[in-house]
Amino acid sequence: MFAREIRSGVLYVGTVDWHRPVFDELIPLPQGTSYNAYLVKGATHTALIDTVDPSREAEFLKGLESLAPLRIDFIIPNHAEQDHSGAIPAVLARHPEAKVVTNAKCKDILKDLLLLPEEAFKVVQDRETLPLGGRTLEFILAPWVHWPETMFTYLREDRILFSCDFLGAHYASSRLFTGRDPAVQLAAKRYYAEIMMPFRTSIRKHLDLLKGFPIDLVAPSHGLVYTDPAFILDAYARWASDEVANEALILYVSMHGSVQRMVDHLADGLIRREVVVTPYHLPRADLGELAMDLVDAASVVLASPVFHAGLHPEADYGLTLVAGLRPKTRFFGLLGSYSWGHRLEEIVKNRLTGLKAEILPPVISKGHPKEADFKALDGLADTIGRKHRDLGLISRGQ
Ligand code: FEO
């Protein structure tokens, strides 16, 4: 990828990965991704903010070589994860004059991940500045978006926030910029859901802190550069808030149809009570779609047949996702079907200790659901409908 200016003297030098199918061998990338890196040129010094994934290193280095003669004084990793730091050793090999400028925690992680020597680094503190000659970089420590060492770099004179993964999106595009494009915001929501959601408390703190910085451009390390920062900052504030929506997700798997019948009955009952329902058939569900819906849904119901006295492995995976992503779900329900015994309730309660949700009475049928089970499902639909109404999520006549 060739270098492109985002402002005079501030260049995009990242790479676009159009066809990467998954991230972390887990997260689907329906729109590919990009590894964004930026070159900031001052009158006396030049800084490279982030690098790229090792898989795109050759293309990245070619882009930098096209800028020759180029002296890089500082390489600034805002985040140690290899999709941004992976090409640092190759850049250092070609620019031995450069220092790796980052916070102490990031340095420690990079020494382990990339085997960089101590002397390669210059450690900076929160709010420390780095003059480049007519341009000033300010470092803002922002732990837990989404690792403990993450930080932002703010270019004062140009009012550009280089925000690392924070505010980013897995979104490959020939464009550099976005204004208020809903497609980009949806990709950012998917990214938030998959990566950032467990860190809502830290995110809210960082959003408050950023109110003190005038920002004209947000330049994240994945996706496009935001020319209207409020578009993404306001969306993050909404997603990270405690506000929930009138939505119930049913995460289910069924082996012989009993659980499927229960799910269909509950979905029908919830629709009758004006609750918006999305069933997710776990063996076929898109992880990103499910994560996105978890951002706002007030209720989640897990439905599983009993498998070796516990959850079916697909339902176990669904529960792992919910427990790990820690959404702001208020109410959690459990449906199940067994033949001779089970430990479903115990397993689910033990695994959801980090979720601040009220666990609703489970509905577990012995074999095929019978009249009493369907009544219990109606009762569960009543409970969820009433609780959503009590929260003001369902307006009269909706
Ligand atoms: Fe895009 Fe956490 O790396």
Side-chain angles (χ1 to χ4, degrees), residues 14 31 48-49 62 93 119 121 129 141 221 256 345 350 358 385:
Q31 290 147 312
L48 173 65
I49 299 178
K62 205 170 154 193
E119 57 272 20
F121 291 91
T129 57
L141 300 200
S221 58
H256 298 292
E345 286 175 72
N350 287 342
E358 177 185 347

Side-chain angles (χ1 to χ4, degrees), residues 104-151:
K105 197 169 281 288
C106 190
K107 179 196 78 171
D108 287 345
I109 296 175
L110 284 176
K111 281 168 68 180
D112 285 335
L113 294 182
L114 303 180
L115 307 179
L116 295 177
E118 178 77 28
E119 57 272 20
F121 291 91
K122 169 182 163 58
V123 170
V124 289
Q125 309 298 323
D126 188 27
R127 303 303 183 87
E128 191 169 331
T129 57
L130 184 68
L132 302 178
R135 282 195 153 116
T136 316
L137 296 175
E138 179 173 351
F139 305 106
I140 306 164
L141 300 200
W144 295 112
V145 287
H146 59 123
W147 281 17
E149 88 305 354
T150 41
M151 71 177 193

Side-chain angles (χ1 to χ4, degrees), residues 39-109:
L39 203 65
V40 182
K41 292 179 170 178
T44 55
H45 295 84
T46 295
L48 173 65
I49 299 178
D50 291 322
T51 66
V52 300
D53 188 85
S55 62
R56 314 302 289 193
E57 183 180 285
E59 180 188 350
F60 170 65
L61 294 174
K62 205 170 154 193
L64 291 181
E65 279 160 19
S66 72
L67 299 171
L70 173 68
R71 177 188 162 90
I72 296 176
D73 300 285
F74 309 115
I75 304 168
I76 299 169
N78 277 333
H79 175 27
E81 194 166 5
Q82 293 94 324
D83 53 325
H84 310 294
S85 69
I88 290 177
V91 177
L92 278 175
R94 286 158 183 76
H95 296 270
E97 72 280 8
K99 277 279 178 205
V100 180
V101 180
T102 193
N103 62 78
K105 197 169 281 288
C106 190
K107 179 196 78 171
D108 287 345
I109 296 175

Side-chain angles (χ1 to χ4, degrees), residues 129-343:
T129 57
L130 184 68
L132 302 178
R135 282 195 153 116
T136 316
L137 296 175
E138 179 173 351
F139 305 106
I140 306 164
L141 300 200
W144 295 112
V145 287
H146 59 123
W147 281 17
E149 88 305 354
T150 41
M151 71 177 193
F152 309 144
T153 298
Y154 178 66
L155 177 52
R156 278 184 182 170
E157 291 75 8
D158 300 79
R159 304 177 14 150
I160 301 175
L161 180 75
F162 299 96
S163 60
C164 77
D165 283 341
F166 191 62
L167 311 173
H170 285 309
Y171 193 85
S173 173
S174 57
R175 289 182 289 155
L176 276 185
F177 298 104
T178 183
R180 301 183 78 83
D181 182 345
V184 176
Q185 194 180 78
L186 199 63
K189 184 174 188 182
R190 178 183 269 262
Y191 188 81
Y192 167 88
E194 292 162 340
I195 307 285
M196 300 288 167
M197 186 151 61
F199 309 107
R200 285 195 305 127
T201 310
S202 299
I203 285 170
R204 289 201 292 244
K205 278 186 206 151
H206 300 327
L207 289 172
D208 276 346
L209 179 73
L210 289 177
K211 286 177 186 158
F213 291 81
I215 300 170
D216 289 344
L217 292 179
V218 170
S221 58
H222 296 288
L224 302 184
V225 174
Y226 298 93
T227 55
D228 184 350
F231 185 59
I232 188 65
L233 291 166
D234 291 351
Y236 256 61
R238 221 166 40 243
W239 300 332
S241 76
D242 289 331
E243 278 175 35
V244 287
N246 176 32
E247 292 166 14
L249 312 183
I250 308 178
L251 282 48
Y252 77 97
V253 56
S254 184
M255 294 195 301
H256 298 292
S258 296
V259 170
Q260 180 74 62
R261 287 184 189 93
M262 297 173 82
V263 167
D264 291 346
H265 191 89
L266 178 65
D268 191 57
L270 288 168
I271 293 166
R272 284 175 195 279
R273 289 158 181 84
E274 301 176 275
V275 176
V276 177
V277 184
T278 308
Y280 276 98
H281 180 223
L282 289 165
R284 303 279 175 275
D286 177 299
L287 172 67
E289 297 284 333
L290 170 53
M292 266 197 286
D293 270 349
L294 283 170
V295 170
D296 305 306
S299 295
V300 173
V301 176
L302 183 71
S304 172
V306 169
F307 191 88
H308 295 319
L311 292 165
H312 184 283
E314 295 280 358
D316 196 274
Y317 182 57
L319 184 63
T320 299
L321 271 183
V322 174
L325 292 177
R326 297 202 296 271
K328 51 191 168 187
T329 308
R330 300 290 181 87
F331 313 109
F332 190 92
L334 171 66
L335 311 185
S337 171
Y338 72 103
S339 296
W340 59 87
H342 70 89
R343 296 190 300 113

